[in-house]
Amino acid sequence: MSADKTAITPTRAQDFPEWYQQVVKAADLAENSETRGCMVIKPWGYGIWELIQQQLDRRFKETGHQNAYFPLLIPLSYLEKEAEHAEGFATECAVVTHHRLEAQKDEATGKTKMIPTGELAEPYVIRPTSETIIGAAFARWVQSYRDLPLLINQWANVMRWEMRPRLFLRTAEFLWQEGHTAHETKEEAIAETRLMHRVYEEFLRDHLAIPVVPGEKTENERFPGADMTLTVEAMVQDKKAIQAGTSHYLGQNFSKAQDISFTSRDGVVQYAHTTSWGVSTRMIGTLIMAHADDDGLVLPPRVATQQIVIIPVTPKEDTRQAVLDACHALAETLRLEKKFHGDPLRVHVDARDLQGGVKKWEWIKKGVPIRIEIGPRDIETRKVCVQRRDQAPNAKEFPDKEDFLRGATDILQEIHDALLRRAADFRDANIIPCDSLEPFHAHWAQDNPGWLLTPWAGTSGEEEELSKRHKITIRCLPLGKQDAPEAPCFLTGKPTKSRALWGRSY
RNA sequence: CGGGGCGUAGCUCAGCCUGGUAGAGCGCCUGCUUUGGGAGCAGGAAGUCGUCGGUUCGAAUCCGGCCGCCCCGACCA
């Protein structure tokens, strides 16, 4: 193999979107299905989702939430209750209109066709999100201030009839969690919105090694029906932005529309303040675009379906069994004795009867953080061959087995830290301050323009104009930057303490 | 929903213009060789050529309807 050959063709530099597709394929994460816009998530990819689920769910429970489950089908009339909300999703709803099929034989061809029949009096919409149907339940559950706060989360699938699907990033059906809460006061609801926003930021940083810019969406970019939308924005390797998670303060918009009311401490009937927040399988797409390289996927250790893969090297038949035994023994020791952030290590022995090189490259493409090779010589010298996914494919070290055992979880943490640092450096290098119009316009003519941070005091209309002109959006008003030194807005010249972050996005 | 392109083996595609009834590479299976390595050689399995209809002695190939997919826009977690 020549030194410049990569496992993935094309490379990121050659064709980023195609590279992405090839990584998904090479890592065996998911594939397109017969159903338009919907993907089949394969075990290696679903394993990542399961880990995301487990670890996020733990945080939700720690912050006082409980899981529940609500129907997939929402009566059409529910979507008519909150006008803005309905309008926001109207163009991407799948509608269920019939409840049975009738077999009909075509006399000419002899084939049987199934004809929908039994039309429903009121159609159902397959949930694009569940505010309305959960709100209806909340209306029944909330009677008194003593019923509040109501802190519910649901793990579910939703469907949005997207025009241009892309594996993980934008599929018609996707998996997510949606938190829905109801509170007595605005302050409490906003505190909840901010809390979950922070949970997302920490999760992305500490579990996925993705640094994000936390901030607030402008009115133009808000969730339909929300008073405030908080977002975590990730920058991926083509310098585009991906909204990795959102947390919304819904004010009393939904509670008024759906009558989520309660008798307050002073005996007055009031409307609850509600929130909703969610992350989806899109995070897997974000993770790929943030960390993968020209040899395939690179998994942050905490969400790696397997963290360590041990490849037996069996050149001779007479030492084969001893090598296999040594591999299994090491795997078992790692599983039983080592923990990474509280979870037992996930270790796999790849004993398949394939050539070593084939196996090695397969695990590189699948992004396994640590590869171990053990052969007859290593058994004699009591060493192991250690290779890391954050280093070159042919880089290897030969520590004593005992030393490796002692330091295995440290290596995982080092890999996590290295991924995070690399991504953070990249992001920081590609957020450019900009305080006047000329360079702003010029910036977006570049190929992969990165983000601009500007003083901003423009109106929604002015924002929209700039957005359309350059195919950009205000990704967010970054959280820590809304009390900056007063400066003239780059567009209007009005003095402002606020800063806006502009970029192209997925 | 507008503008382009394409549906042929599991995958990527050639063949279509100039109709004569199906090919390559990769993958898969078998055998031999190789073995700290994404190997080599030999053999093999696998396609009602998206679908319905028309023209023709004969259609993957020509004509029409339908269905689906991809790319560029509008829309979006």
Side-chain angles (χ1 to χ4, degrees):
Chain A
M1 180 184 115
S2 63
D4 59 335
K5 187 174 178 202
T6 58
I8 303 296
T9 315
T11 62
R12 288 163 290 181
Q14 287 165 346
D15 183 348
F16 195 84
E18 181 60 23
W19 163 85
Y20 174 81
Q21 309 259 56
Q22 292 305 323
V23 170
V24 171
K25 194 173 165 185
D28 209 24
L29 295 169
E31 61 190 23
N32 280 311
S33 73
E34 311 305 304
T35 311
R36 200 209 82 102
C38 297
M39 61 179 166
V40 175
I41 308 178
K42 300 181 78 173
W44 192 252
Y46 197 76
I48 299 171
W49 181 242
E50 286 180 308
L51 290 162
I52 288 174
Q53 264 187 313
Q54 284 165 22
Q55 292 164 33
L56 257 184
D57 200 63
R58 206 180 297 157
R59 286 295 289 144
F60 295 161
K61 304 276 170 61
E62 282 165 8
T63 47
H65 303 86
Q66 290 181 298
N67 285 330
Y69 188 79
F70 299 84
L72 169 73
L73 300 180
I74 299 176
L76 184 57
S77 59
Y78 281 30
L79 280 174
E80 290 160 357
K81 286 179 182 169
E82 219 290 337
E84 264 187 56
H85 180 71
E87 209 181 306
F89 288 105
T91 57
E92 47 190 39
C93 285
V95 187
V96 176
T97 53
H98 294 74
H99 66 88
R100 54 178 294 184
L101 295 171
E102 218 163 68
Q104 214 171 70
K105 198 158 186 179
D106 189 311
E107 296 300 337
T109 62
K111 285 183 182 166
T112 301
K113 280 188 171 178
M114 300 303 287
I115 309 295
T117 171
E119 190 169 351
L120 296 166
E122 183 183 355
Y124 288 99
V125 171
I126 298 177
R127 61 183 165 211
T129 177
S130 305
E131 271 72 12
T132 56
I133 197 152
I134 292 181
F138 278 21
R140 295 191 299 274
W141 298 352
V142 174
Q143 304 292 325
S144 147
Y145 70 90
R146 291 191 181 88
D147 299 324
L148 298 173
L150 188 53
L151 307 173
I152 297 293
N153 177 63
Q154 149 167 278
W155 289 98
N157 56 344
V158 289
M159 178 160 267
R160 298 179 188 177
W161 209 264
E162 297 293 350
M163 283 315 179
R164 295 189 50 194
R166 259 177 143 225
L167 289 172
F168 289 114
L169 285 175
R170 195 186 301 106
T171 45
E173 180 188 12
F174 58 91
L175 306 181
W176 76 344
Q177 60 67 218
E178 44 180 326
H180 295 271
T181 68
H183 306 261
E184 262 186 275
T185 64
K186 177 176 179 177
E187 290 68 32
E188 251 186 61
I190 287 181
E192 165 78 7
T193 309
R194 294 197 184 285
L195 171 67
M196 299 323 287
H197 184 228
R198 205 172 324 120
V199 166
Y200 289 154
E201 183 191 355
E202 289 167 3
F203 180 78
L204 278 148
R205 183 191 64 207
D206 299 338
H207 297 246
L208 304 185
I210 297 174
V212 293
V213 176
E216 182 173 350
K217 288 288 186 189
T218 60
E219 195 181 338
N220 289 10
E221 300 293 321
R222 251 178 229 157
F223 178 75
D227 280 0
M228 173 178 84
T229 288
L230 300 179
T231 177
V232 285
E233 295 289 322
M235 180 189 284
V236 293
Q237 293 179 79
D238 63 351
K239 304 179 195 170
K240 281 194 182 178
I242 299 185
Q243 178 176 309
T246 47
S247 182
H248 315 287
Y249 168 58
L250 303 174
Q252 294 177 311
N253 303 330
F254 285 84
S255 61
K256 282 178 178 165
Q258 301 189 274
D259 197 28
I260 307 172
S261 59
F262 63 98
T263 308
S264 73
R265 288 160 205 267
D266 6 301
V268 184
V269 175
Q270 293 186 356
Y271 289 108
H273 294 259
T274 63
T275 82
S276 70
W277 29 274
V279 297
S280 70
T281 36
R282 167 176 260 202
M283 274 208 298
I284 297 176
T286 308
L287 182 156
I288 298 164
M289 287 201 163
H291 296 314
D293 63 20
D294 295 337
D295 287 323
L297 187 61
V298 177
L299 283 171
R302 287 183 84 170
V303 295
T305 310
Q306 299 293 350
Q307 293 163 318
I308 301 177
V309 167
I310 302 176
I311 304 173
V313 180
T314 54
K316 297 196 180 72
E317 196 49 45
D318 57 338
T319 50
R320 187 182 153 78
Q321 195 54 48
V323 168
L324 286 175
D325 290 347
C327 290
H328 285 293
L330 177 62
E332 202 54 17
T333 306
L334 286 164
R335 288 188 197 112
L336 293 175
E337 294 179 10
K338 298 307 229 175
K339 287 198 167 182
F340 187 58
H341 291 279
D343 294 321
L345 291 190
R346 296 181 289 277
V347 185
H348 175 68
V349 176
D350 185 357
R352 289 175 303 166
D353 182 24
L354 285 175
Q355 276 199 264
V358 176
K359 289 197 269 193
K360 168 183 164 166
W361 280 98
E362 193 176 302
W363 295 115
I364 290 174
K365 287 186 276 190
K366 281 169 169 276
V368 170
I370 299 177
R371 302 185 303 280
I372 299 293
E373 293 177 358
I374 298 180
R377 286 209 296 272
D378 306 310
I379 295 178
E380 279 172 32
T381 57
R382 307 188 59 79
K383 290 181 186 294
V384 290
C385 174
V386 180
Q387 307 176 37
R388 296 167 47 154
R389 189 59 182 88
D390 64 332
Q391 299 177 351
N394 51 3
K396 44 180 85 166
E397 285 183 24
F398 292 88
D400 288 338
K401 192 176 81 180
E402 292 306 317
D403 289 338
F404 168 71
L405 267 173
R406 216 168 295 123
T409 55
D410 295 335
I411 299 177
L412 291 174
Q413 189 61 44
E414 278 172 30
I415 293 174
H416 175 96
D417 294 343
L419 296 183
L420 180 62
R421 197 175 321 112
R422 189 158 69 193
D425 288 347
F426 183 80
R427 175 198 61 180
D428 294 344
N430 289 294
I431 298 180
I432 301 155
C434 174
D435 54 15
S436 59
L437 206 49
E438 281 304 311
F440 185 90
H441 287 319
H443 179 80
W444 306 112
Q446 300 173 65
D447 268 351
N448 293 300
W451 301 353
L452 288 184
L453 184 68
T454 71
W456 176 246
T459 63
S460 290
E462 289 162 339
E463 175 189 338
E464 199 181 336
E465 211 179 298
L466 288 171
S467 292
K468 289 228 162 102
R469 173 162 171 188
H470 294 299
K471 293 174 185 168
I472 53 175
T473 43
I474 293 185
R475 298 317 304 158
C476 68
L477 309 172
L479 221 55
K481 300 218 157 70
Q482 299 315 303
D483 196 22
E486 201 158 85
C489 167
F490 83 100
L491 180 70
T492 64
K494 275 185 265 180
T496 177
K497 294 182 167 189
S498 171
R499 297 291 182 274
L501 191 58
W502 303 77
R504 298 227 165 99
S505 72
Y506 278 99

